């Protein structure tokens, strides 16, 4: 089946630094990628929708200047957490799809655990 | 109003027994899809089963079946013959036809299978 990878799988950084998380579709072209955030034992909250070659669409309440998303190619989207603070510590998950129909499968990456000290 | 509601924060089931995880949804879009995912402690999201709003029959995938009651807006997941490896968090999710592929997730249910 289709595979989506994320790198790194975990990262620890100091407060004030920026962290980049990559999401790659390994064997299909992903026209759309989604970025989610999940706090421990809570639901996945959609942060933004990333479309190749265009600006990301952010959900209400998500700071676009803090969470920079770039979808440079049909197989790669990146999420950069700028000037990270401890409250940004979370599990970040991307998903990728080659279509937006209801029956098009969305493939989830394994997630990236971010800890900001 | 919450679009996906999972009212069971935690559930216990004896190994080899069946268990039902509840999910209700709210949408005015006539076209939508309902999904169930399993998330073990490793964090990966594993797709289990899909039910489309126009599907006439309840979806089944191996030991997983979806009890779809459209009029009641419920899409409960039934796991038959529970196994220890079924212990995980389970999420119900919905995609609406007009939602541009976005998924809305419920709060999840933590299932523990007892030996």
């Amino acid at each position: 089946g289709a595979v989506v990878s994320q790198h790194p799988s975990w990262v620890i950084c100091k407060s004030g630094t920026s962290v980049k998380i990559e999401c790659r579709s390994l064997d299909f072209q992903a026209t759309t990628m989604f970025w989610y955030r999940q706090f421990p034992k809570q639901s996945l909250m959609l942060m933004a929708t990333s479309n190749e070659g265009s600006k990301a669409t952010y959900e209400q309440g998500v700071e676009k200047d803090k969470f920079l998303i770039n979808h440079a190619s049909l197989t790669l989207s990146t999420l950069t957490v700028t000037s990270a603070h401890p409250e940004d510590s979370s599990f970040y998950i991307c998903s990728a799809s080659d279509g937006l129909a209801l029956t098009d499968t969305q493939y989830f990456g394994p997630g990236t655990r971010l800890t900001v000290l | 109003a919450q679009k996906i509601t999972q009212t069971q924060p935690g559930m216990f089931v004896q190994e080899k027994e069946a268990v039902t995880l509840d999910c209700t949804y709210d949408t005015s879009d006539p076209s939508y899809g309902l999904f169930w995912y399993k998330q073990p402690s490793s964090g990966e999201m594993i797709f289990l089963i899909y039910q489309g709003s126009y599907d006439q029959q309840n979806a089944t995938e191996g030991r997983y079946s979806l009890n779809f009651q459209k009029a009641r807006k419920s899409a409960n997941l039934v796991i038959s013959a529970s196994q220890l490896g079924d212990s995980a968090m389970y999420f119900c999710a919905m995609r609406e036809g007009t939602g541009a592929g976005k998924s809305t997730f419920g709060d999840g249910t933590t299932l523990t299978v007892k030996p």
Side-chain angles (χ1 to χ4, degrees), chain B:
Chain B
Q2 210 166 1
K3 287 195 171 185
I4 295 285
T5 303
Q6 293 180 255
T7 58
Q8 306 153 315
M11 288 281 287
F12 291 89
V13 65
Q14 207 67 36
E15 193 178 7
K16 299 181 185 177
E17 292 186 350
V19 63
T20 298
L21 305 184
D22 294 342
C23 173
T24 58
Y25 60 92
D26 183 31
T27 181
S28 57
D29 196 327
S31 178
Y32 54 89
L34 298 158
F35 302 78
W36 277 92
Y37 296 90
K38 172 184 178 181
Q39 187 180 43
S41 56
S42 60
E44 61 183 312
M45 295 290 286
I46 302 169
F47 165 75
L48 298 177
I49 197 166
Y50 164 80
Q51 180 84 44
S53 59
Y54 296 118
D55 293 344
Q56 294 297 312
Q57 294 190 330
N58 288 342
T60 60
E61 288 285 348
R63 294 187 298 113
Y64 305 107
S65 61
L66 202 151
N67 183 1
F68 181 45
Q69 298 187 42
K70 195 169 181 177
R72 296 179 61 184
K73 293 190 174 179
S74 75
N76 299 339
L77 175 70
V78 181
I79 305 174
S80 63
S82 297
Q83 302 172 356
L84 295 178
D86 293 336
S87 294
M89 197 147 181
Y90 289 80
F91 289 98
C92 179
M94 178 174 65
R95 279 160 52 183
E96 295 166 296
T98 54
K102 295 194 285 188
S103 294
T104 303
F105 288 81
D107 289 338
T109 295
T110 300
L111 177 66
T112 304
V113 180
K114 294 181 172 180

Side-chain angles (χ1 to χ4, degrees), chain A residues 37-58:
Chain A
R37 180 176 183 176
Q38 184 183 30
F39 291 109
K41 301 207 182 290
Q42 293 189 24
S43 185
L44 278 72
M45 299 302 296
L46 180 66
M47 299 175 66
T49 303
S50 169
N51 294 299
E52 187 266 339
S54 64
K55 289 184 178 180
T57 303
Y58 290 82

Side-chain angles (χ1 to χ4, degrees), chain A residues 23 30-37 45-60 62-64 67-72 76-79 93-97 99-100 106, chain B residues 95 98-105:
Chain A
C23 176
T31 53
T32 304
M33 290 183 174
F34 300 92
W35 285 96
Y36 297 87
R37 180 176 183 176
M45 299 302 296
L46 180 66
M47 299 175 66
T49 303
S50 169
N51 294 299
E52 187 266 339
S54 64
K55 289 184 178 180
T57 303
Y58 290 82
E59 294 300 301
Q60 193 172 10
V62 177
E63 301 175 60
K64 57 184 177 184
F67 299 100
L68 300 178
I69 292 172
N70 184 280
H71 196 149
L76 174 64
S77 176
T78 60
L79 167 68
I93 307 174
C94 72
S95 73
S97 176
L100 298 180
Q106 287 189 7
Chain B
R95 279 160 52 183
T98 54
K102 295 194 285 188
S103 294
T104 303
F105 288 81

Side-chain angles (χ1 to χ4, degrees), chain A residues 72-99:
Chain A
S73 75
L74 285 171
T75 59
L76 174 64
S77 176
T78 60
L79 167 68
T80 301
V81 184
T82 62
S83 186
H85 288 94
E87 58 266 29
D88 298 324
S89 298
S90 188
F91 192 55
Y92 292 87
I93 307 174
C94 72
S95 73
S97 176
D98 59 1

